[in-house]
Amino acid sequence: MTKMKIAGTGSFLPELVVTNQMMTRIVDTSDEWITTRTGISERRLSSGEPTWFMAAEAARKALAEARLEPAQLDIIMVTTCTPDYYLPSAACIVQAELGAERAFCFDLNAACTGFVYALDMAARYLLDPQIHNILIVASENISKLVDYSDRSTCVLFGDGASAVVCSRGTDEDPSALLATKLGSEGRTGHVLVSRALKVRHPFLADGAVWPDRFGEHSDHTLTMEGQEVFKFAVRVLADSVLEAAAQAGVNLTELRYIIPHQANARIVEAAARRMKANPAQIISRIADFGNTSSASIPICLDELVRAGKLLRGEKVAICGFGAGLTYGAAIFIY
Ligand code: COA
């Protein structure tokens, strides 16, 4: 257990709403197919707002909520698999935007599981007496990777960002991170892929070809074996929550909420059944936002906090999965 308090949350969602009906104009699909197979009705897409911009907007709201000045931040972590630059990191851009001069900054890429990994990392950093406040921002313009001629993937994703400030907890407040269970299964990485740049320089021999690690990809567009991801997701979401709960000595019935990564309503329902959770505990906001990758869990968390539906002292489980393949769960007292 680490005395860690989520001191503030904030999100940024682009204004552009793309409905299922609008999707039918670009691919052979229907509102009925998308809704019944995924639970998604609409998603937000960037109108050009870069990942760093969305991150900084969400971060400002989380800092205001935490009543902290940027100068009080010790660390800024941005979880993203869709940065605007290979370098500098999105976290350093956010630092400059906020004027958080004291912080050290880095990006973390665990794809859609990024936020869960970051929360675990923040708790570990807070064991260091020199670290007091950590900003985690999950910001994703996943639309940059999506092939909008592929109906099996393009209907799933949306853009957005969300941030939390994690501060050292005091003895007076109940907040704590109780347990985490993280994992990766790199051997099945081929089921969800987006390729980066290939080696190219003036000294490359003519015809020098190194095959792509995951089959030929002409560019960065995302490819996915949907059913394989589906099966993986149901297994790891349920099992990681159960493992984290056992580690924390917490019965699932004690959890106020379970917030899963929002990828497909059917995945969430099947995972809830596998872990024998009460459906009333499960948060599903997929209908309005689609899959916003690592931002999906903190967007849900922020909504609950702002709506006054999550109170100090209540226990929450979050669980994610994504490319890598990666997965993870965390149980905390808000
Ligand atoms: N509209 C209409 N039909 C579609 C469609 C769409 N948007 N997308 C796929 N189809 C079709 C397929 O072409 C297929 O047609 P066929 O039977 O003629 O070949 C049929 O629907 C069934 O496809 P299938 O892939 O079996 O559907 P599914 O029930 O597995 O649903 C996903 C597909 C992608 C929604 C589902 O597998 C899924 O959500 N997987 C997990 C994806 C995920 O979470 N990714 C992100 C991880 S972070």
Side-chain angles (χ1 to χ4, degrees):
M1 179 183 98
T2 312
K3 290 298 289 177
M4 179 175 88
K5 180 176 182 176
I6 295 185
T9 62
S11 301
F12 176 87
L13 286 149
E15 278 182 12
L16 176 61
V17 175
V18 176
T19 61
N20 289 348
Q21 199 53 42
M22 289 160 79
M23 281 288 169
T24 65
R25 289 187 222 143
I26 59 164
V27 284
D28 179 14
T29 189
S30 65
D31 177 44
E32 201 260 334
W33 192 96
I34 303 172
T35 315
T36 52
R37 298 292 182 111
T38 72
I40 300 168
S41 302
E42 58 188 43
R43 69 289 291 144
R44 304 291 184 91
L45 294 188
S46 168
S47 296
E49 300 99 326
T51 301
W52 65 259
F53 175 85
M54 301 199 306
E57 289 293 300
R60 283 190 189 96
K61 292 182 191 164
L63 276 174
E65 200 62 33
R67 297 199 171 86
L68 281 182
E69 294 302 321
Q72 290 172 275
L73 291 174
D74 299 294
I75 305 177
I76 299 176
M77 300 180 200
V78 173
T79 73
T80 187
C81 53
T82 51
D84 308 294
Y85 299 93
Y86 282 127
L87 47 117
S89 66
C92 282
I93 304 177
V94 170
Q95 175 192 31
E97 285 292 307
L98 299 177
E101 278 91 10
R102 282 186 50 254
F104 67 86
C105 311
F106 61 92
D107 289 358
L108 186 164
N109 177 3
C112 301
T113 320
F115 181 75
V116 187
Y117 276 42
L119 203 69
D120 173 84
M121 219 176 195
R124 293 175 196 278
Y125 269 121
L126 285 169
L127 296 174
D128 178 340
Q130 294 188 44
I131 306 289
H132 298 276
N133 300 302
I134 301 172
L135 173 68
I136 302 173
V137 198
S139 186
E140 305 278 12
N141 263 319
I142 203 86
S143 60
K144 291 195 283 195
L145 307 184
V146 169
D147 173 357
Y148 283 94
S149 66
D150 175 6
R151 68 177 181 174
S152 66
T153 54
C154 73
V155 299
L156 302 176
F157 295 97
D159 299 329
S162 191
V164 303
V165 177
C166 297
S167 299
R168 177 182 303 283
T170 61
D171 289 339
E172 290 75 56
D173 58 54
S175 306
L177 184 78
L178 299 180
T180 55
K181 168 65 189 170
L182 307 183
S184 303
E185 296 184 7
R187 252 183 296 182
T188 22
H190 59 277
V191 301
L192 194 48
V193 173
S194 159
R195 186 171 65 63
L197 292 180
K198 290 192 180 205
V199 174
R200 61 184 176 94
H201 56 71
F203 306 103
L204 206 58
D206 276 352
V209 178
W210 195 275
D212 279 358
R213 176 67 175 76
F214 298 112
E216 277 305 304
H217 284 80
S218 56
D219 61 12
H220 62 272
T221 46
L222 187 145
T223 55
M224 182 178 77
E225 292 178 30
Q227 290 186 4
E228 290 309 310
V229 178
F230 195 113
K231 283 184 270 177
F232 167 79
V234 173
R235 170 170 60 87
V236 296
L237 285 179
D239 295 0
S240 60
V241 169
L242 293 174
E243 274 199 51
Q247 223 188 96
V250 166
N251 193 302
L252 284 204
T253 55
E254 293 173 52
L255 297 172
R256 178 75 178 88
Y257 298 113
I258 299 171
I259 309 177
H261 170 46
Q262 311 282 303
N264 183 323
R266 289 191 297 134
I267 291 178
V268 170
E269 286 154 17
R273 277 196 300 276
R274 187 178 164 108
M275 66 178 100
K276 298 191 172 62
N278 177 347
Q281 294 174 295
I282 308 284
I283 299 299
S284 182
R285 293 291 289 117
I286 183 104
D288 291 346
F289 303 130
N291 179 347
T292 54
S293 190
S294 70
S296 85
I297 292 172
I299 287 172
C300 292
L301 180 62
D302 179 44
E303 278 196 335
L304 290 172
V305 169
R306 281 171 191 270
K309 292 182 179 168
L310 176 60
L311 305 176
R312 291 288 171 201
E314 291 184 320
K315 294 190 183 79
V316 177
I318 59 172
C319 48
F321 67 92
L325 296 174
T326 56
Y327 65 91
I331 295 184
F332 60 87
I333 304 177
Y334 175 68

